[in-house]
Amino acid sequence: MDTPTKLIVGLGNPGSDYERTRHNVGFDVIDQFAAAHGIVVGRRDYRGLTGDGSMDGVRVFLLKPQTYMNLSGESLSLFLRVKSLPLSEILVVADDIALPTGKLRLRPAGSAGGHNGLKSIVAHLQSQDFPRLRIGVGAPRDPSVQVDFVLGRFQRDEREIIDEAIGRSVAAIETWITAGLEPAMNRFNGE
């Protein structure tokens, strides 16, 4: 019997200039999940950094695309050419300016909602039918500064909220792996 397999893709931008920015919460979630489960995310493959481990009898792959946000789909599509997985077994983790800071939103499918990393994934997969976990990072008062806002770091008061949300995101992923998407949505979308 085949081992159940999941892939978690965290979106962000490579390099120290982008560490701990709003746009990189997907990377932060992958890092925390990896640390919690003893997975090393350091192998350069598929135009990304990858890790491979297990949780409760499920094989878990982790992927942090190193293509910059707008080309995230390239890395994921390269991975899927080698390791064919149904889209339902992939969870993409991304920031979302449409949600209040720290709010989580799990969905089984949907549009990119203006997020360039998700747009790239939708274009490369030619489908919107993949689960995603969006983490609210707040929105700028002035929409004209949106790019600088998402590439900026959190204020001190926001950092505490987002660190807690990253921890809840890891718990949401663990629930998705062990119990499925609907229980994870029921538990974490309402918080």
mmCIF file with all atom_site columns, all heavy atoms in Angstrom, residues 114-129:
data_model
loop_
_atom_site.group_PDB
_atom_site.id
_atom_site.type_symbol
_atom_site.label_atom_id
_atom_site.label_alt_id
_atom_site.label_comp_id
_atom_site.label_asym_id
_atom_site.label_entity_id
_atom_site.label_seq_id
_atom_site.pdbx_PDB_ins_code
_atom_site.Cartn_x
_atom_site.Cartn_y
_atom_site.Cartn_z
_atom_site.occupancy
_atom_site.B_iso_or_equiv
_atom_site.pdbx_formal_charge
_atom_site.auth_seq_id
_atom_site.auth_comp_id
_atom_site.auth_asym_id
_atom_site.auth_atom_id
_atom_site.pdbx_PDB_model_num
ATOM 1   N N   . GLY A 1 114 ? -5.638  38.408 -6.343  1.00 0.00 ? 114 GLY A N   1
ATOM 2   C CA  . GLY A 1 114 ? -4.661  39.481 -6.511  1.00 0.00 ? 114 GLY A CA  1
ATOM 3   C C   . GLY A 1 114 ? -3.267  39.158 -5.979  1.00 0.00 ? 114 GLY A C   1
ATOM 4   O O   . GLY A 1 114 ? -2.368  39.986 -6.066  1.00 0.00 ? 114 GLY A O   1
ATOM 5   N N   . HIS A 1 115 ? -3.084  37.950 -5.439  1.00 0.00 ? 115 HIS A N   1
ATOM 6   C CA  . HIS A 1 115 ? -1.772  37.560 -4.892  1.00 0.00 ? 115 HIS A CA  1
ATOM 7   C C   . HIS A 1 115 ? -0.919  36.995 -6.023  1.00 0.00 ? 115 HIS A C   1
ATOM 8   O O   . HIS A 1 115 ? -1.279  35.993 -6.639  1.00 0.00 ? 115 HIS A O   1
ATOM 9   C CB  . HIS A 1 115 ? -1.970  36.512 -3.793  1.00 0.00 ? 115 HIS A CB  1
ATOM 10  C CG  . HIS A 1 115 ? -0.739  36.225 -3.012  1.00 0.00 ? 115 HIS A CG  1
ATOM 11  N ND1 . HIS A 1 115 ? 0.311   35.493 -3.530  1.00 0.00 ? 115 HIS A ND1 1
ATOM 12  C CD2 . HIS A 1 115 ? -0.375  36.565 -1.751  1.00 0.00 ? 115 HIS A CD2 1
ATOM 13  C CE1 . HIS A 1 115 ? 1.262   35.397 -2.611  1.00 0.00 ? 115 HIS A CE1 1
ATOM 14  N NE2 . HIS A 1 115 ? 0.867   36.032 -1.524  1.00 0.00 ? 115 HIS A NE2 1
ATOM 15  N N   . ASN A 1 116 ? 0.212   37.638 -6.303  1.00 0.00 ? 116 ASN A N   1
ATOM 16  C CA  . ASN A 1 116 ? 1.020   37.244 -7.468  1.00 0.00 ? 116 ASN A CA  1
ATOM 17  C C   . ASN A 1 116 ? 1.603   35.846 -7.367  1.00 0.00 ? 116 ASN A C   1
ATOM 18  O O   . ASN A 1 116 ? 1.752   35.154 -8.376  1.00 0.00 ? 116 ASN A O   1
ATOM 19  C CB  . ASN A 1 116 ? 2.122   38.269 -7.720  1.00 0.00 ? 116 ASN A CB  1
ATOM 20  C CG  . ASN A 1 116 ? 1.565   39.580 -8.252  1.00 0.00 ? 116 ASN A CG  1
ATOM 21  O OD1 . ASN A 1 116 ? 0.521   39.594 -8.900  1.00 0.00 ? 116 ASN A OD1 1
ATOM 22  N ND2 . ASN A 1 116 ? 2.237   40.671 -7.969  1.00 0.00 ? 116 ASN A ND2 1
ATOM 23  N N   . GLY A 1 117 ? 1.949   35.400 -6.164  1.00 0.00 ? 117 GLY A N   1
ATOM 24  C CA  . GLY A 1 117 ? 2.449   34.036 -5.999  1.00 0.00 ? 117 GLY A CA  1
ATOM 25  C C   . GLY A 1 117 ? 1.372   33.015 -6.331  1.00 0.00 ? 117 GLY A C   1
ATOM 26  O O   . GLY A 1 117 ? 1.627   32.031 -7.034  1.00 0.00 ? 117 GLY A O   1
ATOM 27  N N   . LEU A 1 118 ? 0.160   33.251 -5.832  1.00 0.00 ? 118 LEU A N   1
ATOM 28  C CA  . LEU A 1 118 ? -0.957  32.350 -6.147  1.00 0.00 ? 118 LEU A CA  1
ATOM 29  C C   . LEU A 1 118 ? -1.312  32.415 -7.622  1.00 0.00 ? 118 LEU A C   1
ATOM 30  O O   . LEU A 1 118 ? -1.638  31.397 -8.232  1.00 0.00 ? 118 LEU A O   1
ATOM 31  C CB  . LEU A 1 118 ? -2.168  32.672 -5.269  1.00 0.00 ? 118 LEU A CB  1
ATOM 32  C CG  . LEU A 1 118 ? -2.024  32.313 -3.789  1.00 0.00 ? 118 LEU A CG  1
ATOM 33  C CD1 . LEU A 1 118 ? -3.196  32.864 -2.982  1.00 0.00 ? 118 LEU A CD1 1
ATOM 34  C CD2 . LEU A 1 118 ? -1.889  30.813 -3.588  1.00 0.00 ? 118 LEU A CD2 1
ATOM 35  N N   . LYS A 1 119 ? -1.241  33.622 -8.226  1.00 0.00 ? 119 LYS A N   1
ATOM 36  C CA  . LYS A 1 119 ? -1.513  33.767 -9.672  1.00 0.00 ? 119 LYS A CA  1
ATOM 37  C C   . LYS A 1 119 ? -0.568  32.885 -10.477 1.00 0.00 ? 119 LYS A C   1
ATOM 38  O O   . LYS A 1 119 ? -0.972  32.214 -11.422 1.00 0.00 ? 119 LYS A O   1
ATOM 39  C CB  . LYS A 1 119 ? -1.304  35.219 -10.118 1.00 0.00 ? 119 LYS A CB  1
ATOM 40  C CG  . LYS A 1 119 ? -2.485  36.115 -9.969  1.00 0.00 ? 119 LYS A CG  1
ATOM 41  C CD  . LYS A 1 119 ? -2.153  37.481 -10.581 1.00 0.00 ? 119 LYS A CD  1
ATOM 42  C CE  . LYS A 1 119 ? -3.070  38.543 -10.027 1.00 0.00 ? 119 LYS A CE  1
ATOM 43  N NZ  . LYS A 1 119 ? -2.628  39.893 -10.368 1.00 0.00 ? 119 LYS A NZ  1
ATOM 44  N N   . SER A 1 120 ? 0.709   32.901 -10.105 1.00 0.00 ? 120 SER A N   1
ATOM 45  C CA  . SER A 1 120 ? 1.709   32.097 -10.802 1.00 0.00 ? 120 SER A CA  1
ATOM 46  C C   . SER A 1 120 ? 1.405   30.606 -10.655 1.00 0.00 ? 120 SER A C   1
ATOM 47  O O   . SER A 1 120 ? 1.501   29.840 -11.619 1.00 0.00 ? 120 SER A O   1
ATOM 48  C CB  . SER A 1 120 ? 3.106   32.418 -10.243 1.00 0.00 ? 120 SER A CB  1
ATOM 49  O OG  . SER A 1 120 ? 4.079   31.557 -10.799 1.00 0.00 ? 120 SER A OG  1
ATOM 50  N N   . ILE A 1 121 ? 1.000   30.191 -9.462  1.00 0.00 ? 121 ILE A N   1
ATOM 51  C CA  . ILE A 1 121 ? 0.676   28.777 -9.240  1.00 0.00 ? 121 ILE A CA  1
ATOM 52  C C   . ILE A 1 121 ? -0.550  28.374 -10.045 1.00 0.00 ? 121 ILE A C   1
ATOM 53  O O   . ILE A 1 121 ? -0.553  27.337 -10.718 1.00 0.00 ? 121 ILE A O   1
ATOM 54  C CB  . ILE A 1 121 ? 0.492   28.500 -7.736  1.00 0.00 ? 121 ILE A CB  1
ATOM 55  C CG1 . ILE A 1 121 ? 1.865   28.563 -7.042  1.00 0.00 ? 121 ILE A CG1 1
ATOM 56  C CG2 . ILE A 1 121 ? -0.171  27.148 -7.492  1.00 0.00 ? 121 ILE A CG2 1
ATOM 57  C CD1 . ILE A 1 121 ? 1.817   28.495 -5.541  1.00 0.00 ? 121 ILE A CD1 1
ATOM 58  N N   . VAL A 1 122 ? -1.595  29.204 -10.035 1.00 0.00 ? 122 VAL A N   1
ATOM 59  C CA  . VAL A 1 122 ? -2.800  28.923 -10.821 1.00 0.00 ? 122 VAL A CA  1
ATOM 60  C C   . VAL A 1 122 ? -2.435  28.795 -12.299 1.00 0.00 ? 122 VAL A C   1
ATOM 61  O O   . VAL A 1 122 ? -2.889  27.871 -12.986 1.00 0.00 ? 122 VAL A O   1
ATOM 62  C CB  . VAL A 1 122 ? -3.875  30.018 -10.600 1.00 0.00 ? 122 VAL A CB  1
ATOM 63  C CG1 . VAL A 1 122 ? -4.987  29.912 -11.626 1.00 0.00 ? 122 VAL A CG1 1
ATOM 64  C CG2 . VAL A 1 122 ? -4.439  29.932 -9.180  1.00 0.00 ? 122 VAL A CG2 1
ATOM 65  N N   . ALA A 1 123 ? -1.589  29.697 -12.804 1.00 0.00 ? 123 ALA A N   1
ATOM 66  C CA  . ALA A 1 123 ? -1.193  29.667 -14.217 1.00 0.00 ? 123 ALA A CA  1
ATOM 67  C C   . ALA A 1 123 ? -0.419  28.389 -14.547 1.00 0.00 ? 123 ALA A C   1
ATOM 68  O O   . ALA A 1 123 ? -0.673  27.744 -15.571 1.00 0.00 ? 123 ALA A O   1
ATOM 69  C CB  . ALA A 1 123 ? -0.350  30.894 -14.549 1.00 0.00 ? 123 ALA A CB  1
ATOM 70  N N   . HIS A 1 124 ? 0.518   27.992 -13.681 1.00 0.00 ? 124 HIS A N   1
ATOM 71  C CA  . HIS A 1 124 ? 1.329   26.805 -13.960 1.00 0.00 ? 124 HIS A CA  1
ATOM 72  C C   . HIS A 1 124 ? 0.548   25.507 -13.784 1.00 0.00 ? 124 HIS A C   1
ATOM 73  O O   . HIS A 1 124 ? 0.765   24.548 -14.525 1.00 0.00 ? 124 HIS A O   1
ATOM 74  C CB  . HIS A 1 124 ? 2.598   26.797 -13.097 1.00 0.00 ? 124 HIS A CB  1
ATOM 75  C CG  . HIS A 1 124 ? 3.685   27.640 -13.661 1.00 0.00 ? 124 HIS A CG  1
ATOM 76  N ND1 . HIS A 1 124 ? 3.769   28.983 -13.442 1.00 0.00 ? 124 HIS A ND1 1
ATOM 77  C CD2 . HIS A 1 124 ? 4.727   27.321 -14.462 1.00 0.00 ? 124 HIS A CD2 1
ATOM 78  C CE1 . HIS A 1 124 ? 4.827   29.463 -14.084 1.00 0.00 ? 124 HIS A CE1 1
ATOM 79  N NE2 . HIS A 1 124 ? 5.425   28.476 -14.705 1.00 0.00 ? 124 HIS A NE2 1
ATOM 80  N N   . LEU A 1 125 ? -0.339  25.465 -12.808 1.00 0.00 ? 125 LEU A N   1
ATOM 81  C CA  . LEU A 1 125 ? -1.136  24.246 -12.590 1.00 0.00 ? 125 LEU A CA  1
ATOM 82  C C   . LEU A 1 125 ? -2.349  24.202 -13.519 1.00 0.00 ? 125 LEU A C   1
ATOM 83  O O   . LEU A 1 125 ? -2.977  23.164 -13.655 1.00 0.00 ? 125 LEU A O   1
ATOM 84  C CB  . LEU A 1 125 ? -1.613  24.163 -11.140 1.00 0.00 ? 125 LEU A CB  1
ATOM 85  C CG  . LEU A 1 125 ? -0.554  24.090 -10.049 1.00 0.00 ? 125 LEU A CG  1
ATOM 86  C CD1 . LEU A 1 125 ? -1.219  23.956 -8.682  1.00 0.00 ? 125 LEU A CD1 1
ATOM 87  C CD2 . LEU A 1 125 ? 0.409   22.938 -10.289 1.00 0.00 ? 125 LEU A CD2 1
ATOM 88  N N   . GLN A 1 126 ? -2.668  25.343 -14.108 1.00 0.00 ? 126 GLN A N   1
ATOM 89  C CA  . GLN A 1 126 ? -3.871  25.488 -14.933 1.00 0.00 ? 126 GLN A CA  1
ATOM 90  C C   . GLN A 1 126 ? -5.111  25.054 -14.150 1.00 0.00 ? 126 GLN A C   1
ATOM 91  O O   . GLN A 1 126 ? -6.008  24.405 -14.689 1.00 0.00 ? 126 GLN A O   1
ATOM 92  C CB  . GLN A 1 126 ? -3.731  24.734 -16.256 1.00 0.00 ? 126 GLN A CB  1
ATOM 93  C CG  . GLN A 1 126 ? -2.584  25.276 -17.087 1.00 0.00 ? 126 GLN A CG  1
ATOM 94  C CD  . GLN A 1 126 ? -2.469  24.614 -18.436 1.00 0.00 ? 126 GLN A CD  1
ATOM 95  O OE1 . GLN A 1 126 ? -2.741  23.429 -18.590 1.00 0.00 ? 126 GLN A OE1 1
ATOM 96  N NE2 . GLN A 1 126 ? -2.071  25.394 -19.431 1.00 0.00 ? 126 GLN A NE2 1
ATOM 97  N N   . SER A 1 127 ? -5.113  25.431 -12.873 1.00 0.00 ? 127 SER A N   1
ATOM 98  C CA  . SER A 1 127 ? -6.229  25.078 -12.002 1.00 0.00 ? 127 SER A CA  1
ATOM 99  C C   . SER A 1 127 ? -6.194  25.967 -10.761 1.00 0.00 ? 127 SER A C   1
ATOM 100 O O   . SER A 1 127 ? -5.125  26.364 -10.299 1.00 0.00 ? 127 SER A O   1
ATOM 101 C CB  . SER A 1 127 ? -6.124  23.615 -11.569 1.00 0.00 ? 127 SER A CB  1
ATOM 102 O OG  . SER A 1 127 ? -7.141  23.307 -10.634 1.00 0.00 ? 127 SER A OG  1
ATOM 103 N N   . GLN A 1 128 ? -7.390  26.251 -10.237 1.00 0.00 ? 128 GLN A N   1
ATOM 104 C CA  . GLN A 1 128 ? -7.511  26.947 -8.953  1.00 0.00 ? 128 GLN A CA  1
ATOM 105 C C   . GLN A 1 128 ? -7.889  25.964 -7.855  1.00 0.00 ? 128 GLN A C   1
ATOM 106 O O   . GLN A 1 128 ? -8.096  26.349 -6.712  1.00 0.00 ? 128 GLN A O   1
ATOM 107 C CB  . GLN A 1 128 ? -8.601  28.022 -9.038  1.00 0.00 ? 128 GLN A CB  1
ATOM 108 C CG  . GLN A 1 128 ? -8.330  29.107 -10.047 1.00 0.00 ? 128 GLN A CG  1
ATOM 109 C CD  . GLN A 1 128 ? -9.432  30.156 -10.058 1.00 0.00 ? 128 GLN A CD  1
ATOM 110 O OE1 . GLN A 1 128 ? -10.490 30.005 -9.466  1.00 0.00 ? 128 GLN A OE1 1
ATOM 111 N NE2 . GLN A 1 128 ? -9.171  31.247 -10.753 1.00 0.00 ? 128 GLN A NE2 1
ATOM 112 N N   . ASP A 1 129 ? -7.970  24.682 -8.213  1.00 0.00 ? 129 ASP A N   1
ATOM 113 C CA  . ASP A 1 129 ? -8.494  23.665 -7.298  1.00 0.00 ? 129 ASP A CA  1
ATOM 114 C C   . ASP A 1 129 ? -7.405  23.020 -6.448  1.00 0.00 ? 129 ASP A C   1
ATOM 115 O O   . ASP A 1 129 ? -7.157  21.821 -6.538  1.00 0.00 ? 129 ASP A O   1
ATOM 116 C CB  . ASP A 1 129 ? -9.259  22.597 -8.082  1.00 0.00 ? 129 ASP A CB  1
ATOM 117 C CG  . ASP A 1 129 ? -10.455 23.168 -8.803  1.00 0.00 ? 129 ASP A CG  1
ATOM 118 O OD1 . ASP A 1 129 ? -10.992 24.205 -8.340  1.00 0.00 ? 129 ASP A OD1 1
ATOM 119 O OD2 . ASP A 1 129 ? -10.869 22.604 -9.824  1.00 0.00 ? 129 ASP A OD2 1
#
